[in-house]
Amino acid sequence: MLLSLVVHTYSLRYWFPAVVMLGTAPAYVLSWGACRVLTAVLPSRLYRRMDDHLYNIYQSLVLFFFENYTGVEIVIYGDVPKMKENVVYLSNHQCTADWIIADMLAIRQEALGHVRYVLKDGLKWLPLYGWYFSQHGGVYVKRSAKFDENAMKKKLSSQTVLGTPMYLVIFPEGTRYNPELKKMISDSQAFATKEGLAALDHVLTPRMKASHVAIETMRDHLDAVYDITVVYEATLGKSSDRQPAPTMPGPSQKTLLSAQRERVMVTLGKRADVPESGEGAGHSTANSTIHPSVEAI
C-alpha cells in the first residue's frame, strides 16, 4: 500500500510543473494587462522594458521546472556568447520542447525577456498564449502564397525603430519533423530538388521566406544569425532508423516528463555575418541551415 502510494506520487511529480505553468498563465496575463494600462500614456520603450521583464520572470519559472523536474540533460556544443545580442535564431524543429531550448540559450545571455517568435498563423488561437505572443512582439505568418510579407515587415520595422531588443526565434522547416510521416518527407525532398537544394533525410527543407524577410528588415538592428541544431538522443534508437522526438505532456506515450532520463544535444553555430540582401540571400541561408550534425545521424 505504502509502496504503491510512493510510486503513484513519484509519477505525479512530472505533471506538477505543467499544472503550475498552466495555472499561473491567467495571473501572468492579468499582470501584463495591468502593466499595459499603466504604461498606456508613457513612451513605448518603457512598456517594452516592463513587458520583457514580466516575460523573463514567467519563462524563468518554466525553465526552472524543465531543468529540475524532467530529468533532461542538456549538452551544449559551441560557445554561447556572454553578451546580449540582437539575433535571428534559426533551428530545426522536432517537438514542442524546441521553444524551451531557445529559452535555455537566451537565459545564458540574460536575454530571456527578449525572446520573440515567428509562428504559424493557426497558433494565434491558443488560449491566452496565442494572443499574448503577438503582443510581446511575435509574428504570425501563413504559408506559401498566403504569406503576407508586408505585414511581417511592418511588425518588425516598428520594433526596430523603437530599438526593441530582439531574440527572434524561427523554425524554417515550418512544421515539426516526424520520421513516421514519410509522405511529408518525400514532398520536402521533392521541393528541395525542384529548388536546386540538397535533399535532406533528417530535417525538412527549410522554407526561408520568413527568415529572409526578418534578416533583411532588421539588417541594421541585428548583431548575428544563430544556426542551431537540436538532437534528442531518444530519436537515435538502436537501429539506423530515426525515431520521433519526445514531446511535452500530451497524447504521445513518449514524453520528456517520463521517468526515463533524456539527453538533448544542442549545437550553436554563430554566423556573425548577416547574409547580403537580394535574391541569393534566401538560398544562401537555406543552404547553411541544413544542420550537418543532424544529417550525419
Side-chain angles (χ1 to χ4, degrees), residues 37 150 154 163:
V37 170
N150 291 329
K154 183 178 179 180

Side-chain angles (χ1 to χ4, degrees), residues 70-85:
T70 63
V72 173
E73 177 186 358
I74 306 294
V75 181
I76 300 176
Y77 299 94
D79 297 325
V80 179
K82 302 297 182 182
M83 302 291 292
K84 294 180 182 179
E85 294 184 306

Side-chain angles (χ1 to χ4, degrees), residues 31-192:
S31 299
W32 173 86
C35 169
R36 190 72 184 99
V37 170
L38 292 173
T39 58
V41 296
L42 298 176
S44 297
R45 285 187 176 86
L46 180 59
Y47 158 67
R48 283 296 176 194
R49 192 175 303 166
M50 294 182 67
D51 175 48
D52 284 0
H53 181 65
L54 282 174
Y55 189 73
N56 177 74
I57 293 173
Y58 180 70
Q59 291 300 317
S60 294
L61 176 67
V62 172
L63 282 180
F64 171 79
F65 283 118
F66 185 82
E67 294 196 28
N68 292 280
Y69 277 74
T70 63
V72 173
E73 177 186 358
I74 306 294
V75 181
I76 300 176
Y77 299 94
D79 297 325
V80 179
K82 302 297 182 182
M83 302 291 292
K84 294 180 182 179
E85 294 184 306
N86 291 317
V87 305
V88 169
Y89 171 113
L90 304 176
S91 174
N92 59 320
H93 191 24
Q94 300 171 76
C95 73
T96 51
D98 290 336
W99 63 275
I100 298 181
I101 303 300
D103 284 354
M104 296 184 69
L105 294 180
I107 199 172
R108 286 163 169 77
Q109 296 176 256
E110 299 183 356
L112 185 56
H114 305 160
V115 175
R116 311 175 208 284
Y117 300 94
V118 173
L119 301 163
K120 291 188 294 187
D121 188 67
L123 294 177
K124 68 184 179 183
W125 303 113
L126 284 174
L128 299 179
Y129 292 101
W131 177 75
Y132 173 72
F133 281 147
S134 177
Q135 300 301 308
H136 184 63
V139 182
Y140 288 105
V141 297
K142 295 181 179 180
R143 297 178 181 177
S144 304
K146 296 182 179 180
F147 176 74
D148 191 338
E149 181 175 333
N150 291 329
M152 184 176 182
K153 285 183 176 179
K154 183 178 179 180
K155 181 71 176 284
L156 295 176
S157 294
S158 65
Q159 296 184 75
T160 55
V161 167
L162 294 173
T164 303
M166 186 62 64
Y167 203 99
L168 188 66
V169 177
I170 304 176
F171 300 111
E173 291 166 278
T175 192
R176 284 174 282 179
Y177 173 89
N178 186 336
E180 296 180 342
L181 302 180
K182 303 298 184 183
K183 185 178 185 305
M184 181 178 68
I185 297 173
S186 62
D187 289 347
S188 174
Q189 292 172 336
F191 172 80

Side-chain angles (χ1 to χ4, degrees), residues 212-250:
H212 174 68
V213 170
I215 293 170
E216 182 62 26
T217 303
M218 300 190 296
R219 176 173 304 280
D220 296 332
H221 188 59
L222 294 176
D223 297 307
V225 176
Y226 290 174
D227 188 5
I228 307 296
T229 303
V230 179
V231 177
Y232 296 87
E233 189 175 52
T235 65
L236 306 181
K238 296 181 179 180
S239 67
S240 59
D241 295 333
R242 280 284 300 277
Q243 303 297 316
T247 68
M248 297 302 285

